[in-house]
Amino acid sequence: MNANTTLADKFRSMDYGVAPEDASLAVAWLDQFGRRFGHFIGGVWSAPDQGQYFETSDPSTSDKIAEVAQGSAADVDTAVKAARAALKGWQALTAHTRARYLYALARQVQKHSRRLAVLETIDNGKPIRESRDIDIPLVARHFYHHAGWAQLLAQEFPGYEACGVVGQIIPWNFPLLMLAWKIAPALAAGNTVVLKPAEFTPLTALAFAELCIEIGLPPGVVNIVTGDGSTGEALVVHSDVDKIAFTGSTEVGRAIRRATADSHKKLSLELGGKSPFVVFEDADLDSAVEGLVDGIWLNQGQVCCAGSRLLMQESIAAQLTKKLQARMATLRIGPPLDKTTDIGAIVARVQLERIEGLVAQGVAEGASCWQPDIPLPSRGLYYKPTLFTNVHPTSVVAQQEIFGPVLAAMTFRTPAEAVELANNTAYGLAASVWSESVNVALQVASRIKAGVVWVNSTNLFDAASGFGGYRQSGFGREGGREGMREYLEPAWFRKAPGLPQSAQTAAAAVADPGAGPAAPGTSAIDQGDGPSIDRTVKLYIGGKQVRPDSGYSIECRSSQGVLLGEVPLGNRKDIRNAVEAAGRAQQWSSATAHNRAQVLYYLAENLSQRAQELVSRLAMVVGKRQASKELKLSVERLFSYAAWADKYEGAVHSPPFRNISLAMNEPVGTVGVVCPEAMPLLGFFSMVLPLVTAGNCVVVVPSAAYPLIVGDLYQVLETSDVPGGVINMVTGQPMELTKVLAEHDDVDALWCYGDDNLCATAKRLSAGNLKQVWTNEGRQIDFFNERYGEGRWYLEHAHQVKNIWVPYGE
Ligand code: NAI
């Protein structure tokens, strides 16, 4: 602005000067440490084992800020030992005492909020307005909220125990907030922690370590080890870690899934996204434009849930694009510490180059790239807000997470087309839907596959509302009750004994002597000494009995070796057909809960009617007593889940804004189920029913000890109004079929009951599409006891929670 500018000119242009935040508190703190930091282990600072440090720099200037320790495997080991040593003492404290520590952390974060905000901004490059008004207040809120969970732990999670020592690995985009999302629930649940911050942004985690000292947190409860990916890897593979919680790229998430497969580590992954921002023609377009400023330019677009795909209804596309471009031209890119800056610096050169590379690919693919004519600072890592139009849905800029200030716009005509485009991604983290029609907005929100949907709003977060993804955005939730569950396990399950290598032997041990002393190789039917056996069992796919692809079958024998019949040897093709049939039956998820309950009651009725026949066949393998018990409890289990169908409900959260968030329980989709051998009937129902109750469709591999059960079950299913494709059954070698299910990209989750080897295989091979895998961890579950064999624990795994944020007020 030149010297002749009048006040009236200034008023008209709304131009303003610089308003830098005072960094002196943060600078003094850094200087106090001589700008060199060790690890925080066992309550004290310690130098790295191998004496190596690396630099962390200010992305707005590229100047070095400080040196931090490069953690080795030995450092990680020391930290894990410290966490293990602290665990007993931490758990011995009363819930109230733990709550007081969390409360004290919240207070301390608030007291030091200014210093923390500045540190975050200089280390990460995000505008001070964001770290001051969004990140740090949310950090404090997270600790307050979780002080509450710590206090209520026994009342709200009876029978649950903490996992133990938790390894946590966080990214660089919201460094302190991600720390809070990890540490607060872990401590509230009674775990101790080793956390590794991202290599680009370690400083606020170290500042947090100091807060732990200040409040007198018992040594070893929180340990911070700095370093790069290799440090993270050492934590992931450490044998004395009970759980890993990770936020970061999908690629590393996949590596962690594989690396933890052979262990019993519990795992939660919060990964990337390519979230749709859907604008309907009746939306308030000016508000939608402001929403986009938050949606894609918050934190320079380096946000896992950034609204990076703009889907506009065709009728308003031109108008919205024009408004958006006008707004983009007013965004201020500049020094992050300036309180008037809208867009700060990109975190690191490698990230800037990644953005540039992906944008260049988008241009090469023919999309139109537009950037406003606004100045960039002469130094530092900056990138202009960027809008792609004329984008093909398969283009790299529409499919890949760019993690930068780059928006890819596409158009749609109808709500159905909007949903199709929104779901045309491997991810499923978040979505934003803009319409003044509550019907349209909620209908579309319910159909988008994403863990969070914001209606007429975007990028809202609260400690009480779970956050996390569908599909390749990961599994597990952070925040709220769901988030607490990630750090807890049923106490009985942790202590359950291991499964014998061959559970078939267990079934044989209880076999009914009445089955007759036939010699191995003889047939019960040939001898005429037992009830007649259906020897022509087929696979059950899409509501039909079908022959297997291979044409081969396998024998099913009683415990004495009597041939009971033959079942098909299912293969990859049969599983593929079954998965397709399950995919076609997904309307089951939109059946009302009352309808699903009716079907389950009807199933119970029909199962009861066939009780005698079924029990007499099953008895040949498991003995009369067990067979009768399995039948009786299966009928009860059907009643239980019919009861749960309309009672396992979501919640309504009231975050501290003018919003409600609706926590909806949604089915996961198509789920593979590998049943226990030793309880052919009860095991089948115990695993299948919670899934079907939740609205999932299943592909089931029945008990290998008595796969003939399929013949009995399909008759019951056919007479009970279970829609074709909801329950599909493929017999064969469990390990082979498990592998196919685990590798199948259209299987959304896999429930597996078997020995350690089977469970590990399922987890390892699931990394491709990052499906949720839930196993018995090679342990025995007593399905005969309803306390262990049914209920909420199963239903929790059969659902995924979607939070739909709905604003209210003018
Ligand atoms: P990253 O996934 O490599 O890093 C995240 C964290 O994981 C860091 O602490 C890192 O040191 C650690 N890490 C790296 N390799 C590891 C391994 N093998 N085992 C254990 N820990 C490991 O992400 P990066 O390289 O910083 O960013 C690359 C891309 O990832 C971004 O462009 C973005 O697309 C995506 N990303 C997504 C995030 C999200 O919140 N969803 C956060 C950060 C990055």
Side-chain angles (χ1 to χ4, degrees):
M1 204 161 285
N2 65 45
N4 297 329
T5 311
T6 65
L7 189 60
D9 290 334
K10 283 187 179 173
F11 186 77
R12 267 193 298 276
S13 75
M14 290 300 281
D15 211 350
Y16 36 89
V18 291
E21 174 72 35
D22 178 4
S24 56
L25 283 174
V27 168
W29 181 79
L30 289 163
D31 289 341
Q32 181 194 324
F33 280 82
R35 297 199 178 231
R36 175 180 262 217
F37 295 85
H39 304 302
F40 178 68
I41 298 177
V44 293
W45 297 103
S46 59
D49 171 61
Q50 292 172 0
Q52 285 180 1
Y53 291 83
F54 63 95
E55 287 183 8
T56 181
S57 60
D58 178 343
S60 70
T61 59
S62 302
D63 293 342
K64 172 180 161 183
I65 308 172
E67 283 182 357
V68 298
Q70 168 61 33
S72 64
D75 295 323
V76 167
D77 185 52
T78 312
V80 171
K81 285 195 172 110
R84 178 65 60 192
L87 187 63
K88 221 168 160 193
W90 181 240
Q91 295 187 339
L93 298 176
T94 64
H96 175 62
T97 309
R98 283 198 298 270
R100 287 174 78 113
Y101 281 119
L102 282 154
Y103 180 79
L105 283 170
R107 298 282 299 133
Q108 211 66 1
V109 166
Q110 280 186 317
K111 271 190 224 157
H112 296 288
S113 59
R114 209 176 161 125
R115 187 183 78 202
L116 292 170
V118 171
L119 268 181
E120 199 74 302
T121 283
I122 60 175
D123 210 14
N124 166 280
K126 64 172 65 195
I128 186 72
R129 263 195 303 134
E130 290 176 16
S131 40
R132 182 195 63 194
D133 299 343
I134 301 172
D135 293 51
I136 308 303
L138 281 173
V139 170
R141 160 93 182 122
H142 223 75
F143 280 102
Y144 280 127
H145 178 78
H146 285 87
W149 283 121
Q151 178 79 27
L152 302 177
L153 191 68
Q155 289 172 56
E156 289 294 312
F157 299 95
Y160 280 73
E161 269 179 10
C163 298
V165 172
V166 177
Q168 305 182 314
I169 298 161
I170 56 171
W172 42 259
N173 53 347
F174 292 88
L176 194 61
L177 184 57
M178 290 304 102
L179 173 148
W181 281 21
K182 296 277 180 292
I183 290 186
L187 297 195
N191 301 275
T192 56
V193 163
V194 177
L195 178 132
K196 190 202 85 66
E199 49 272 51
F200 299 143
T201 55
L203 294 179
T204 44
L206 298 167
F208 179 82
E210 201 188 29
L211 303 189
C212 294
I213 299 174
E214 284 169 10
I215 65 150
L217 189 72
V221 170
V222 168
N223 305 276
I224 311 277
V225 178
T226 50
D228 58 14
S230 66
T231 317
E233 216 176 324
L235 186 54
V236 166
V237 300
H238 196 290
S239 60
D240 201 27
V241 168
D242 300 297
K243 179 198 157 79
I244 293 289
F246 171 78
T247 299
S249 62
T250 296
E251 195 187 321
V252 173
R254 237 179 230 124
I256 292 177
R257 169 70 290 180
R258 291 194 188 101
T260 53
D262 288 314
S263 71
H264 296 302
K265 290 184 183 110
K266 205 171 151 131
L267 179 63
S268 49
L269 300 174
E270 201 266 271
L271 309 174
K274 191 76 191 176
S275 300
F277 191 103
V278 190
V279 186
F280 284 92
E281 60 189 3
D282 67 346
D284 173 348
L285 296 190
D286 293 315
S287 297
V289 167
E290 284 316 306
L292 275 165
V293 171
D294 266 350
I296 184 64
W297 293 303
L298 177 85
N299 200 10
Q300 297 69 251
Q302 304 165 127
V303 180
C304 49
C305 52
S308 53
R309 284 186 299 144
L310 170 59
L311 309 181
M312 309 179 276
Q313 197 153 18
E314 214 166 70
S315 48
I316 45 100
Q319 194 191 354
L320 183 61
T321 308
K322 210 164 142 216
K323 278 178 184 279
L324 183 59
Q325 288 175 332
R327 181 68 177 93
M328 286 167 77
T330 67
L331 292 170
R332 288 167 67 109
I333 306 190
L337 274 181
D338 186 335
K339 283 173 262 188
T340 68
T341 288
D342 296 313
I343 298 182
I346 301 297
V347 72
R349 182 157 302 282
V350 57
Q351 187 62 20
L352 183 61
E353 286 166 0
R354 197 181 133 84
I355 298 167
E356 288 166 348
L358 285 165
V359 167
Q361 273 191 57
V363 172
E365 282 179 352
S368 315
C369 178
W370 185 87
Q371 293 178 325
D373 184 18
I374 48 178
L376 290 187
S378 53
R379 289 180 73 196
L381 309 170
Y382 292 94
Y383 198 81
K384 281 190 183 180
T386 303
L387 173 66
F388 271 107
T389 49
N390 193 24
V391 175
H392 192 272
T394 59
S395 158
V396 71
V397 292
Q399 289 296 330
Q400 271 205 37
E401 181 175 50
I402 298 178
F403 234 60
V406 181
L407 182 62
M410 285 159 273
T411 59
F412 65 87
R413 278 165 295 187
T414 61
E417 222 174 85
V419 170
E420 204 180 323
L421 265 180
N423 288 336
N424 179 31
T425 167
Y427 297 111
L429 194 52
S432 183
V433 179
W434 295 74
S435 166
E436 290 298 293
S437 157
V438 68
N439 300 15
V440 170
L442 290 181
Q443 164 77 358
V444 170
S446 73
R447 294 178 58 202
I448 292 180
K449 292 185 176 20
V452 183
V453 183
W454 295 289
V455 172
N456 292 332
S457 52
T458 191
N459 275 343
L460 295 171
F461 310 98
D462 183 49
S465 291
F467 182 90
Y470 282 27
R471 309 205 274 192
Q472 292 187 34
S473 292
F475 43 78
R477 292 289 179 270
E478 302 195 277
R481 182 181 288 278
E482 308 89 272
M484 283 296 290
R485 288 206 300 256
E486 298 297 329
Y487 291 93
L488 292 161
E489 279 185 315
W492 66 264
F493 181 63
R494 290 164 59 77
K495 292 183 202 92
L499 201 64
Q501 277 300 306
S502 168
Q504 191 143 7
T505 328
V510 288
D512 183 9
T522 56
S523 156
I525 299 162
D526 294 346
Q527 294 179 20
D529 64 348
S532 74
I533 301 290
D534 179 0
R535 297 189 65 191
T536 58
V537 164
K538 296 195 184 113
L539 306 178
Y540 189 65
I541 296 177
K544 295 194 181 70
Q545 299 173 37
V546 296
R547 293 184 191 287
D549 171 63
S550 72
Y552 292 114
S553 44
I554 41 178
E555 292 179 344
C556 174
R557 290 180 179 276
S558 80
S559 51
Q560 271 87 8
V562 176
L563 182 65
L564 301 176
E566 292 183 349
V567 295
L569 180 67
N571 65 12
R572 181 173 293 272
K573 179 99 189 323
D574 300 311
I575 292 280
R576 275 213 300 266
N577 291 341
V579 171
E580 264 174 40
R584 283 193 299 272
Q586 299 291 328
Q587 72 276 10
W588 175 246
S589 67
S590 41
T592 64
H594 173 72
N595 276 348
R596 288 202 290 266
Q598 292 296 300
V599 170
L600 296 180
Y601 281 127
Y602 197 19
L603 202 50
E605 203 179 293
N606 286 320
L607 190 67
S608 295
Q609 272 173 16
R610 289 172 181 268
Q612 216 178 357
E613 189 189 337
L614 216 154
V615 166
S616 65
R617 294 188 213 222
L618 183 57
M620 313 259 317
V621 173
V622 300
K624 262 191 198 129
R625 196 169 339 117
Q626 180 176 330
S628 309
K629 216 166 149 195
E630 284 202 44
L631 192 283
K632 177 176 168 285
L633 287 177
S634 293
V635 173
E636 280 186 25
R637 206 132 291 172
L638 278 158
F639 261 63
S640 283
Y641 283 107
W644 276 114
D646 60 359
K647 289 167 199 67
Y648 184 80
E649 292 186 310
V652 181
H653 300 301
S654 309
F657 325 104
R658 286 200 309 175
N659 271 278
I660 47 170
S661 81
L662 312 172
M664 313 279 290
N665 288 322
E666 292 195 348
V668 186
T670 297
V671 184
V673 181
V674 182
C675 293
E677 286 191 8
M679 294 148 278
L681 184 67
L682 185 61
F684 179 97
F685 279 120
S686 299
M687 292 185 67
V688 166
L689 291 179
L691 287 163
V692 170
T693 303
N696 299 284
C697 296
V698 293
V699 176
V700 191
V701 179
S703 158
Y706 185 55
L708 281 172
I709 192 93
V710 169
D712 300 301
L713 289 173
Y714 57 53
Q715 288 171 4
V716 180
L717 295 176
E718 274 165 6
T719 49
S720 304
D721 294 345
V722 178
V726 172
I727 299 178
N728 305 278
M729 296 180 281
V730 179
T731 51
Q733 302 290 351
M735 180 56 104
E736 292 315 307
L737 300 180
T738 299
K739 284 181 185 166
V740 181
L741 284 167
E743 285 174 335
H744 200 304
D745 278 350
D746 293 333
V747 173
D748 303 296
L750 181 55
W751 286 22
C752 238
Y753 189 102
D755 61 18
D756 269 338
N757 187 20
L758 189 88
C759 297
T761 305
K763 290 187 225 168
R764 193 171 47 252
L765 298 183
S766 70
N769 77 341
L770 284 163
K771 56 177 66 64
Q772 305 178 19
V773 180
W774 193 38
T775 77
N776 59 321
E777 298 294 336
R779 299 172 197 148
Q780 286 183 50
I781 295 180
D782 180 5
F783 288 111
F784 291 100
N785 185 335
E786 69 175 24
R787 193 177 147 221
Y788 310 132
E790 67 174 55
R792 279 192 177 273
W793 191 50
Y794 293 87
L795 287 162
E796 282 160 8
H797 288 89
H799 290 91
Q800 50 193 350
V801 181
K802 172 191 275 180
N803 272 280
I804 302 178
W805 291 65
V806 186
Y808 56 79
E810 283 295 297

